[in-house]
């Protein structure tokens, strides 16, 4: 049985996840974040080359295409500037880090207040629904009937059931027939 994670541990896990400065999307791994930034934010629209930083993209466009760009592609409003050198999580301004952490704390607080599970909470493993309760006497009666039927079948060599739900099941006999020997 898996241990239930504490609320604090889940919050710390959410805060530790790598996230993209330009679009606020979070990722499982830093390598996936860097791949995302290269594909979504630092990709040259002219030739499709993927660069590591916004500054690298600006220099590439100036030198190769003799043009200039002044904003990062697919960035949210207020974060499209190319003068900030960001690679993965390095270079992110402290104010943006604080705003991101505050946003996670706010989402987590809403999720913990709500009786409905949110996407921040890890879903509980599937549990089978409980069977209607059966009292102890009924179980003992069924066990005794099963044992008696099993003892009777062992003494006669037949297989029968004492379960009422199995009464309509076909009775399978243990008799075997041998095939006649073929001589050549």
């Amino acid at each position: 049985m898996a241990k239930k994670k504490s609320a604090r541990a889940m919050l710390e896990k959410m805060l530790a996840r790598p996230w993209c400065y330009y679009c606020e999307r979070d990722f499982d791994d830093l390598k996936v974040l860097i791949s995302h930034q290269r594909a979504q934010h630092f990709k040259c629209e002219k030739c499709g080359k993927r660069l590591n930083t916004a500054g690298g993209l600006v220099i590439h466009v100036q030198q190769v295409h003799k043009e200039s760009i002044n904003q990062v592609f697919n960035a949210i409003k207020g974060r499209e500037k190319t003068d900030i050198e960001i690679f993965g999580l390095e270079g992110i301004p402290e104010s943006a880090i604080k705003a991101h952490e505050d946003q996670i704390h706010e989402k987590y607080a809403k999720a913990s207040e709500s009786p409905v599970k949110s996407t921040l909470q890890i879903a509980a493993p599937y549990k089978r629904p409980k069977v209607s309760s059966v009292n102890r006497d009924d179980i003992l009666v069924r066990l005794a009937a099963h044992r008696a039927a099993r003892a009777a079948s062992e003494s006669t060599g037949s297989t029968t059931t004492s379960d009422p739900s199995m009464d309509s099941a076909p009775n399978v006999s243990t008799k075997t027939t041998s095939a006649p020997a073929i001589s050549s």
Side-chain angles (χ1 to χ4, degrees):
M1 193 173 196
K3 280 188 173 181
K4 189 175 182 179
K5 291 188 177 183
S6 70
R8 181 77 179 154
M10 288 174 48
L11 178 61
E12 288 174 4
K13 183 179 177 183
M14 291 301 297
L15 289 170
R17 288 175 59 101
W19 57 282
C20 180
Y21 167 76
Y22 296 105
C23 63
E24 288 285 335
R25 184 174 166 196
D26 64 329
F27 299 90
D28 292 330
D29 190 2
L30 186 61
K31 289 180 182 179
V32 178
L33 166 64
I34 292 169
S35 176
H36 159 81
Q37 286 176 339
R38 293 183 72 202
Q40 295 296 318
H41 305 297
F42 307 143
K43 184 177 179 181
C44 177
E45 289 187 335
K46 298 285 184 184
C47 64
K49 183 172 180 155
R50 296 176 181 186
L51 295 116
N52 289 326
T53 64
L57 179 61
V58 169
I59 292 170
H60 164 78
V61 171
Q62 286 174 346
Q63 291 179 349
V64 175
H65 304 295
K66 308 294 186 226
E67 295 178 5
S68 65
I69 58 170
N70 57 1
Q71 66 179 11
V72 175
F73 304 114
N74 302 319
I76 59 176
K77 194 169 190 140
R79 294 192 181 176
E80 61 270 336
K81 294 181 182 178
T82 58
D83 57 348
I84 301 174
E85 283 292 317
I86 294 176
F87 178 73
L89 292 173
E90 295 176 17
I92 298 175
E94 287 296 322
S95 60
I97 293 172
K98 177 76 171 127
H100 178 73
E101 289 176 355
D102 290 345
Q103 184 180 16
I104 289 176
H105 281 287
E106 184 179 313
K107 282 182 182 178
Y108 191 78
K110 282 183 183 177
S112 63
E113 290 172 3
S114 173
V116 179
K117 288 197 181 273
S118 76
T119 57
L120 287 177
Q121 294 177 342
I122 298 173
Y126 173 75
K127 290 185 178 179
R128 284 187 267 159
K130 289 187 177 182
V131 180
S132 62
S133 63
V134 181
N135 64 20
R136 180 180 165 88
D137 296 334
D138 187 32
I139 291 173
L140 292 174
V141 168
R142 289 177 64 188
L143 179 62
H146 172 73
R147 285 181 178 161
R150 188 167 181 185
S153 68
E154 287 177 0
S155 64
T156 61
S158 66
T159 57
T160 59
T161 63
S162 64
D163 190 0
S165 64
M166 298 297 288
D167 287 344
S168 61
N171 191 0
V172 179
S173 175
T174 58
K175 276 198 233 177
T176 57
T177 57
S178 59
I182 301 176
S183 60
S184 49

